[in-house]
Amino acid sequence: MPPSCCGCLSQYTHHHLAVFLLTFFSYVLLHSSRKTFSNVKVSISAQWTPSISNDSAQFSPAETWENNRLFADEKQATLFLGALDSIFLFSYAAGLYLSGVIGDRVNLRYVLCFGLCGSAVVEFVFGTLTEWLHIYNVYLYCGLWVLNGLLQSAVWPCVVAVMGHWFGKTGRGFVFGLWSACASVGNILGAFLASSVLKYGYEYAFLVTSIVQFAGGVVVFFGLLTSPKEVGLSLEEATGLGPVETETDSHKPLMSDEEEEEEQVEAYARRRRSAKPQEDPPPEPPQAIGFFQAFCLPGVLPYSLAYACLKLVNYSFFFWLPFYLSNNYGWKEAEADRLSVWYDVGGIIGGTVLGLISDFMGKRSPVLVISLVMAMGALVGYSRSPNDQLINAVILAVTGFFIGGPSNMISSAISADLGRQEALRSSQEALATVTGIVDGTGSIGAAAGQYVVSLIESKLGWMSVFYFFVVMTGGSIFFITPLLIRETRDLWRDRQALRRQL
Amino acid sequence: MNMNAVYSWAEIIAIVLLFNVCFSTSYRRTETQPQVCALCGGSVNNTAVDLFCSSSAGRIKGRCCLKNNSISDPERIIGLDLSNCSLTHVDNLQGVSTVVMIDFSINPIVNISDTVFEGFGDLNFMILPPHVACPGGNTSWEKVELKEGKRLCEGQKNMCNQTGHLSVYCPENSLCAPYGPGFSECSCAENFYGYKCLRQGDFPALVVFGPLAASTVVMSLLLWVTQRRKAKNQ
């Protein structure tokens, strides 16, 4: 492959670019349709309920104002929509465990396309077809949304696995940090799509996002290379630097790129030369890892639990922030929506910068822990933010940086690290399974959190919600601590060894 | 319809005919109405409806006064004279909701439900037997009087402009419009339609999906050629 130009990126081919963009936009489209649902909630609940006039007189004609009576009033409809959110998150979490396991056994491209196109069809039926046919039924909606959660869950493990196949450990933190902006970009795209067609009716918001998503699935089907092996590049060759090999540094746990670059490159070149002839006869299809086997991989359980705590906080911001801003500061809904974008912006920058730092350090957990400690401070600071939109936006971006950043890192770069660690030399296909486990556990935390947050808010007020977030962030640190201790010890030992050499 | 009461032959015909009228015609697209206009015999010479009809350049057909605003428009009933028709009962007049003047005088009618005239936004003059109240009550009319043994209801009040009682504030995107004596409706404002008037304009399906389909095909082809063409099937 002709390598694309310039400096440190020279290891990447145009295949890398295509894979990066395809996986990025797969998840952008998926998240944009998720955002669409939350942006059309007002229109849907209006469609499901009769009009309420302030005196008892009813508006006529009835077919325009009174005939849809799925719910008596908008409050009940809002409750149902919240229940749909929870249903979605739980079925999404359950699906993540399942689809990761499937993704490692079936061609990732097929699973990804099936997830994208299948969930597009379900969203079309949910939002467009039921409206065109005037079928309003609570059980139908619930069933469809469970199905949607299961189908959508197929996407994340697949895109992370594909990215993990293509992008080796070197630079992974940075590449994945940049790449994990996909969710936030999806939010912005979804908000844009929904707001531009909402005036034609909410069914068209669903129609447009689901058809765009379906088209994305088709493009992925024709364009995605799931692994460098498909075009005859070996995993190592693809990035120049593959997962850390056992023979040279078997004492090291995940991700250690402490050696001199030249030495490493030389070693890989040698290995490549020697490995080539052996690999040419059809290589054995790598065995997929078992679900419980994956759970027991070093690092998977701690990071899963840490991510459960962190995703709870992260998704609470996603769901509750505009409501908190308009509720607590009395700002208009549009202003609150606009302001809450800064949390996403902070998350994108945080994920990229922290990823870059962790690439340079060669360890991820110290960066995570420092960032999370800062996050606790940022949370306390944000809860005391004055009633000023500029200051609020700045603190919000900082909070997003320290919470969204680590969150993005765990769900993408670290999941990929865990799925390609050296304990897996014999069975390569663990990427999707591990990603599914980490993100699935996180989603359970997020789903449970939505309920807990609303409970704490109604009983104890917003201040307690923020303390709850601080505690959860602390929990996240707690679960990473064993890894932190091990990795800093390694880091320290490597430094010592290096000093002794000099 | 209340079928418990015992009707005379003419009344049954009348009810059946009115029933037919309301099902054979769609709202506000009243074709010529031979049934209701031929409900009873006799002429309408020199009655109030007749005078009104000639003054507004309509044409009399049976008991009706028909008029079309332009040549392409179907004729609308603007006057209905059912005086001296032996009616005891007026149940359903939906087919003639464009009517401006109605004469029910000299009929043994006991009572007319208000809802019969729901949707009669143009109705502006009624002549009723003296003991029958004006539909919607006296507050729905500019002027109510008893004259020569007939009750006259003149000038339908617009319920939308009422201050105080029964004022209707229509929801967003809709406008209040008179909908018959004592009634008002909230009809969607210009360009708005659908349930609760939430929808606006026509979705430009071609403009959205045409380029989308084209770019999907182009991108699929492009990526196939540059990426997957060389792929070995695993």
Side-chain angles (χ1 to χ4, degrees), chain B residues 31-73:
Chain B
E31 299 294 322
T32 34
Q33 307 275 328
Q35 294 101 327
V36 73
C37 302
L39 195 56
C40 40
S43 65
V44 291
N45 277 341
N46 271 329
T47 61
V49 171
D50 183 35
L51 294 174
F52 162 72
C53 197
S54 48
S55 72
S56 51
R59 106 190 139 84
I60 293 286
K61 184 174 185 189
R63 290 295 193 124
C64 296
C65 171
L66 304 171
K67 192 194 177 190
N68 50 352
N69 286 340
S70 67
I71 296 174
S72 58
D73 266 357

Side-chain angles (χ1 to χ4, degrees), chain B residues 21-39:
Chain B
V21 164
C22 90
F23 278 93
S24 63
T25 58
S26 59
Y27 173 60
R28 283 212 183 259
R29 278 192 62 85
T30 39
E31 299 294 322
T32 34
Q33 307 275 328
Q35 294 101 327
V36 73
C37 302
L39 195 56

Side-chain angles (χ1 to χ4, degrees), chain A residues 25-320:
Chain A
F25 281 106
S26 297
Y27 200 69
V28 163
L29 297 180
L30 197 78
H31 225 267
S32 76
S33 59
R34 225 183 271 178
K35 180 75 177 172
T36 301
F37 177 65
S38 51
N39 278 29
V40 301
K41 276 179 177 170
V42 175
S43 299
I44 292 188
S45 58
Q47 186 74 36
W48 285 346
T49 52
S51 315
I52 310 284
S53 53
N54 29 9
D55 45 20
S56 56
Q58 293 187 331
F59 297 120
S60 61
E63 59 263 29
T64 306
W65 302 107
E66 305 291 339
N67 276 9
N68 290 356
R69 293 180 175 276
L70 186 64
F71 296 103
D73 54 37
E74 303 224 345
K75 202 173 174 187
Q76 286 182 35
T78 310
L79 273 179
F80 177 66
L81 287 168
L84 277 183
D85 275 337
S86 303
I87 287 173
F88 175 85
L89 276 174
F90 275 114
S91 87
Y92 186 68
L96 277 169
Y97 288 124
L98 201 70
S99 59
V101 174
I102 295 170
D104 279 334
R105 283 163 176 76
V106 185
N107 190 331
L108 284 171
R109 186 166 59 108
Y110 296 153
V111 180
L112 181 53
C113 289
F114 182 71
L116 278 174
C117 296
S119 101
V121 170
V122 170
E123 280 153 19
F124 169 77
V125 173
F126 179 93
T128 311
L129 205 60
T130 55
E131 173 56 37
W132 281 350
L133 301 176
H134 295 284
I135 303 167
Y136 307 113
N137 183 299
V138 172
Y139 300 103
L140 180 69
Y141 284 129
C142 289
L144 284 171
W145 230 221
V146 168
L147 198 60
N148 191 27
L150 292 174
L151 286 166
Q152 287 212 358
S153 70
V155 173
W156 182 253
C158 288
V159 289
V160 174
V162 170
M163 282 294 287
H165 284 148
W166 278 93
F167 293 91
K169 194 120 49 62
T170 311
R172 182 183 281 162
F174 173 68
V175 171
F176 273 70
L178 205 61
W179 180 82
S180 58
C182 53
S184 306
V185 174
N187 290 344
I188 295 163
L189 179 73
F192 167 75
L193 281 180
S195 63
S196 53
V197 298
L198 196 55
K199 65 172 180 173
Y200 304 114
Y202 80 91
E203 66 269 27
Y204 289 103
F206 277 103
L207 183 71
V208 169
T209 46
S210 65
I211 286 189
V212 169
Q213 190 183 321
F214 194 91
V218 171
V219 172
V220 162
F221 183 82
F222 285 111
L224 185 70
L225 292 164
T226 53
S227 157
K229 277 183 285 183
E230 281 197 306
V231 282
L233 297 164
S234 77
L235 291 181
E236 278 89 319
E237 223 174 345
T239 49
L241 298 163
V244 178
E245 301 292 330
T246 33
E247 60 241 77
T248 49
D249 34 35
S250 55
H251 61 284
K252 287 177 187 169
L254 347 175
M255 53 204 154
S256 24
D257 316 310
E258 290 303 303
E259 297 110 308
E260 314 272 285
E261 281 275 302
E262 293 161 47
E263 217 181 273
Q264 215 172 20
V265 171
E266 214 175 300
Y268 279 114
R270 237 184 296 123
R271 196 175 306 126
R272 207 184 303 161
R273 252 174 271 127
S274 62
K276 245 308 163 46
Q278 291 159 14
E279 265 186 21
D280 270 347
E284 284 176 50
Q287 278 233 304
I289 196 169
F291 179 76
F292 292 104
Q293 210 184 338
F295 228 115
C296 298
L297 283 174
V300 171
L301 192 63
Y303 272 125
S304 297
L305 293 174
Y307 190 50
C309 296
L310 198 55
K311 194 169 184 176
L312 188 158
V313 181
N314 200 28
Y315 260 60
S316 299
F317 268 90
F318 177 76
F319 282 122
W320 292 93

Side-chain angles (χ1 to χ4, degrees), chain B residues 83-201:
Chain B
S83 61
N84 203 359
C85 249
S86 315
L87 295 172
T88 57
H89 222 87
V90 180
D91 260 344
N92 206 328
L93 282 173
Q94 257 184 350
V96 289
S97 56
T98 55
V99 76
V100 178
M101 178 185 267
I102 294 183
D103 189 349
F104 279 130
S105 60
I106 327 178
N107 276 309
I109 300 171
V110 182
N111 187 16
I112 305 178
S113 166
D114 285 356
T115 53
V116 171
F117 299 101
E118 188 173 353
F120 284 52
D122 298 331
L123 186 61
N124 220 25
F125 194 85
M126 286 188 88
I127 306 170
L128 296 169
H131 53 276
V132 177
C134 288
N138 292 353
T139 49
S140 304
W141 298 88
E142 302 285 349
K143 190 172 160 197
V144 176
E145 56 182 343
L146 265 172
K147 206 171 170 185
E148 299 163 16
K150 296 169 181 175
R151 185 176 297 275
L152 305 181
C153 323
E154 288 174 67
Q156 191 190 131
K157 274 189 189 166
N158 188 346
M159 297 312 287
C160 300
N161 300 341
Q162 291 277 47
T163 45
H165 116 280
L166 238 174
S167 56
V168 178
Y169 296 104
C170 281
E172 216 178 334
N173 304 338
S174 66
L175 299 170
C176 187
Y179 201 55
F183 292 102
S184 65
E185 69 167 345
C186 296
S187 55
C188 296
E190 209 180 345
N191 294 331
F192 289 94
Y193 64 98
Y195 188 65
K196 293 189 183 174
C197 305
L198 288 172
R199 289 162 178 80
Q200 188 187 14

